[in-house]
Amino acid sequence: MPDIAANIKRIHASLPEGVTLCAVSKFHPVEALREAYDAGQRVFGESRVQELLAKTGQLPADVRWHFIGHLQTNKVRQLVGRVAMIESVDSERLLRLIDSESERAGTVSRVLMQLHVAAEETKFGFTPEELIDFFRRRAFESLRATHICGVMGMASNTDDGERVKADFMRIADTFRAIRTDIAPDLRGFDTVSMGMSGDYRTAIECGSTLVRIGTDIFGPREY
Ligand SMILES: *Cc1c(COP(=O)(O)O)cnc(C)c1O
């Protein structure tokens, strides 16, 4: 059994100031999350709506839940208002739906736009070009109940450290271009979510402000 509390404390101590830890607790039982909570962890990441909703009621109310999986449009209504952040907005259609459901629910959703830069073809998300086009068109201006807080992305699943670094740099460069050149008036656009158990140190070197770590905290998942 992994020593969850020790892992949380070790990772917290190793993160530079300004980098937040999202503990990815998908597929792990509520007892494991409680151990992390008791060690001081407050941000938890889940990738399935049903699992997240089942867990929210069983942990204290000051937990900040992040949704990090592919969000199906028919689950948006259930999720809106229940999470601190939806990190995985992978299409404009999904963004519009989150916005209309948030307005309907009388809440404001905080989201990250998911970038696809990895070699794997099955991953969801905007290419850097698509996302830059989205901001150039100022498509965010018509949002009424959604706040775009930054970007999220994954590196290729490979042992090639140079490729991983290049992927993270592409995510960070896209973020910086949007923030400084394309939409400098967009307030609160300040989050770069990248880095998982195997590559978060590299991600931080490349400018990550939010790392999503599961296995290094909770041990391997049993699917
Ligand atoms: C599962 C998952 C993680 C955590 O991966 P680990 O390798 O277990 O740290 C991070 N981000 C996303 C989007 C995930 O789905």
Side-chain angles (χ1 to χ4, degrees):
M1 286 297 285
D3 188 339
I4 293 170
N7 292 341
I8 289 284
K9 286 177 178 154
R10 172 178 50 80
I11 295 169
H12 277 178
S14 79
L15 295 182
E17 209 175 309
V19 179
T20 301
L21 170 62
C22 174
V24 176
S25 48
K26 63 189 184 194
F27 294 92
H28 292 288
V30 162
E31 296 70 49
L33 281 73
R34 278 209 198 93
E35 247 181 276
Y37 181 91
D38 290 341
Q41 183 60 27
R42 291 295 178 271
V43 181
F44 289 86
E46 290 283 339
S47 60
R48 299 184 300 178
V49 173
Q50 248 51 47
E51 184 178 348
L52 182 147
L53 295 177
K55 284 172 173 172
T56 52
Q58 301 183 64
L59 277 146
D62 65 342
V63 166
R64 300 196 297 283
W65 297 96
H66 285 205
F67 188 78
I68 62 169
H70 173 60
L71 179 54
Q72 292 168 278
T73 50
N74 63 350
K75 302 269 175 73
V76 170
R77 186 169 289 185
Q78 290 169 272
L79 192 66
V80 155
R82 308 290 185 86
V83 289
M85 191 170 270
I86 300 172
E87 294 200 20
S88 43
V89 174
D90 54 17
S91 73
E92 208 169 324
R93 175 164 174 258
L94 176 61
L95 178 68
R96 299 284 164 206
L97 190 60
I98 290 169
D99 192 48
S100 58
E101 289 295 340
S102 303
E103 192 179 24
R104 179 182 165 279
T107 190
V108 172
S109 289
R110 294 162 54 80
V111 306
L112 302 179
M113 304 296 271
Q114 184 172 349
L115 275 165
H116 171 71
V117 299
E120 293 82 29
E121 279 189 4
T122 54
K123 293 272 164 61
F124 295 101
F126 297 84
T127 65
E129 293 74 24
E130 286 166 348
L131 195 62
I132 282 172
D133 175 68
F134 169 88
F135 284 101
R136 271 201 213 291
R137 284 188 280 120
R138 303 192 65 79
F140 56 89
E141 283 185 338
S142 53
L143 296 172
R144 299 163 66 100
T146 307
H147 187 163
I148 301 178
C149 301
V151 301
M152 182 273 255
M154 274 173 260
S156 304
N157 186 9
T158 169
D159 292 335
D160 177 358
E162 289 308 312
R163 171 71 205 239
V164 169
K165 196 163 190 167
D167 288 347
F168 285 145
M169 289 310 288
R170 255 189 108 199
I171 295 167
D173 285 346
T174 306
F175 167 79
R176 275 190 290 266
I178 294 164
R179 182 171 145 115
T180 59
D181 301 331
I182 298 164
D185 54 328
L186 186 59
R187 301 181 83 202
F189 187 78
D190 57 15
T191 301
V192 185
S193 174
M194 55 186 193
M196 324 201 320
S197 291
D199 56 20
Y200 73 91
R201 292 172 191 85
T202 307
I204 291 168
E205 281 171 31
C206 296
S208 174
T209 69
L210 178 60
V211 290
R212 309 177 309 271
I213 301 179
T215 310
D216 262 13
I217 297 170
F218 299 107
R221 291 176 284 275
E222 285 173 33
Y223 293 103

